[in-house]
Structures are given as C-alpha cells and as structure tokens.
Amino acid sequence: DGGITQSPKYLFRKEGQNVTLSCEQNLNHDAMYWYRQDPGQGLRLIYYSQIVNDFQKGDIAEGYSVSREKKESFPLTVTSAQKNPTAFYLCASSDPGWDTQYFGPGTRLTVL
Amino acid sequence: KNEVEQSPQNLTAQEGEFITINCSYSVGISALHWLQQHPGGGIVSLFMLSSGKKKHGRLIATINIQEKHSSLHITASHPRDSAVYICAVLGGAQKLVFGQGTRLTINP
C-alpha cells in the first residue's frame, strides 16, 4: 500500500535533548512537508522540500532542522534550541498537481 | 486576523442533521482543500477545489472565488462523521495555509 509512515507515534524526551522524527513515503512524491499542530491552532509549516537535496524554511523553522538525502525520506530534528517543542508533528507529501495532500499519522512529542 | 478563518469552531448536532462548516480566506489562492482529522490525529484529504462544487457520498464542498468563501456540507450526518474538519488554502510559493479547524460532534 502506498502512503506515508511516521515513527514513533509517541515520543518522550528530556529537556535539552535533540530528537529526530522519521517520515517515509513510497508515493514517489517530490514534495514533502513538516507541520506542527498545537491545541486550538491550525497546522503551521516548519520546513518543506520540493526536491531531493533541497529544502526551505517554513513559518516556524527556528529550533528545527531537516535533511532530504533521499526522495522517500524527510526526517525532522527538534533541537534543544526549540523553546516549546511539545506538540503533534505531521509529515505530508503532495503530487505535482496538488490534487491531494497525503498526511502521515503524526508523532506526538512530549518534552519533560 | 488569520488568513483562513473557519466557523463555527465547535459544532454539536444530532444524527441525521444537515451540517455546514464555513471557511473564509483573505489571500489569493489557486486551490482550497478540505481535510478531516480523526481523534487519533491522522488527517485525510476530502476535497481539493478551485471552482464550483464537488460531491463525494454525503459530503459536498462548494467554493465562491469572488467572495473568498467555501463551505463543507454533510448530509444525513452520522456519529462516525465526528472529527475535526480543516480548511486549507494553497497560496503563493505552493504552500498551504490552514484554518484552525472545526470540531464536529454528532450524537446518536
């Protein structure tokens, strides 16, 4: 089955630790995205990548980093510089025509 | 003011009722998406609209480009329709801008 996988579903980390969230897709999409969702707020764009080896900052990139070494993978690292990292993180990809946005199941990160 | 505003923020209805969720936006767009998010967090794309109206089963989505407004309707609502419905617009730089979502609860 084609789709997007994110792992893990729940993640707990101590304050000050970096953590990497995984996102893999087998849809052959060039474009991939990372969003953050907080209670009562809309999804906000952290980073996006429209092609391998290239990525752009979104609206709230501070404290995060990404890489896009392979078309199917777009991992997100939440660094210790992110002031309020506890949130629900969603990865997505889209086809060139933007007809459909495909979302992963999300990772809920809690920093203790 | 947010670029994408949804109303209502919360909606509770009885099974069988006709449901309308509204989305207004203030930016120029090339397309508008309606998404559904279930309690577990996963998001499913329902519709992508650039004009007119689309229908899928009991769901109908309309868009008025001149008025910068879209509506999502659910006919014969059912408890399994309970979810958060999110409007997102595709603006410049091929990036989506999201509304804050409408939490819909359908009681049996």
Side-chain angles (χ1 to χ4, degrees), chain A residues 30-33 47-52 54-56 68 74:
Chain A
D30 285 315
M32 296 186 73
Y33 309 83
Y47 267 98
Y48 65 104
S49 169
Q50 294 183 320
I51 199 166
V52 174
D54 185 57
F55 49 83
Q56 306 295 329
R68 188 83 187 278
F74 191 39

Side-chain angles (χ1 to χ4, degrees), chain B residues 65-104:
Chain B
I65 297 293
Q66 288 73 30
E67 294 185 5
K68 296 187 175 179
H69 181 269
S70 175
S71 293
L72 177 68
H73 305 285
I74 305 175
T75 62
S77 59
H78 189 276
R80 65 175 174 266
D81 297 325
S82 298
V84 175
Y85 292 84
I86 301 170
C87 170
V89 300
L90 183 62
Q94 294 292 299
K95 292 189 291 181
L96 286 178
V97 179
F98 295 82
Q100 78 274 33
T102 294
R103 184 174 300 277
L104 174 66

Side-chain angles (χ1 to χ4, degrees), chain A:
Chain A
D1 284 330
I4 300 179
T5 57
Q6 289 184 244
S7 60
K9 189 169 178 64
Y10 298 96
L11 188 56
F12 296 87
R13 279 295 182 268
K14 291 183 179 178
E15 193 172 341
Q17 289 182 333
N18 291 356
V19 59
T20 297
L21 311 185
S22 166
C23 177
E24 304 277 332
Q25 55 101 356
N26 61 4
L27 300 164
N28 202 33
H29 288 165
D30 285 315
M32 296 186 73
Y33 309 83
W34 273 106
Y35 298 100
R36 171 183 170 135
Q37 188 178 39
D38 294 283
Q41 295 191 38
L43 277 71
R44 293 181 291 169
L45 181 64
I46 305 172
Y47 267 98
Y48 65 104
S49 169
Q50 294 183 320
I51 199 166
V52 174
N53 292 321
D54 185 57
F55 49 83
Q56 306 295 329
K57 291 182 179 180
D59 300 319
I60 54 166
E62 186 175 350
Y64 299 98
S65 66
V66 293
S67 63
R68 188 83 187 278
E69 297 175 1
K70 298 186 294 182
K71 187 175 187 177
E72 59 269 24
S73 179
F74 191 39
L76 173 75
T77 296
V78 185
T79 75
S80 56
Q82 168 50 232
K83 299 292 183 229
N84 186 18
T86 295
F88 187 58
Y89 291 88
L90 282 155
C91 178
S93 70
S94 64
D95 56 27
W98 276 85
D99 287 341
T100 307
Q101 278 271 294
Y102 294 85
F103 286 85
T107 293
R108 191 166 299 278
L109 173 65
T110 302
V111 175
L112 306 172

Side-chain angles (χ1 to χ4, degrees), chain B residues 49-69:
Chain B
L49 295 163
S50 54
S51 65
K53 176 179 174 178
K54 286 190 176 180
K55 184 176 189 293
H56 185 254
R58 296 180 294 105
L59 300 177
I60 303 166
T62 64
I63 188 168
N64 185 317
I65 297 293
Q66 288 73 30
E67 294 185 5
K68 296 187 175 179
H69 181 269

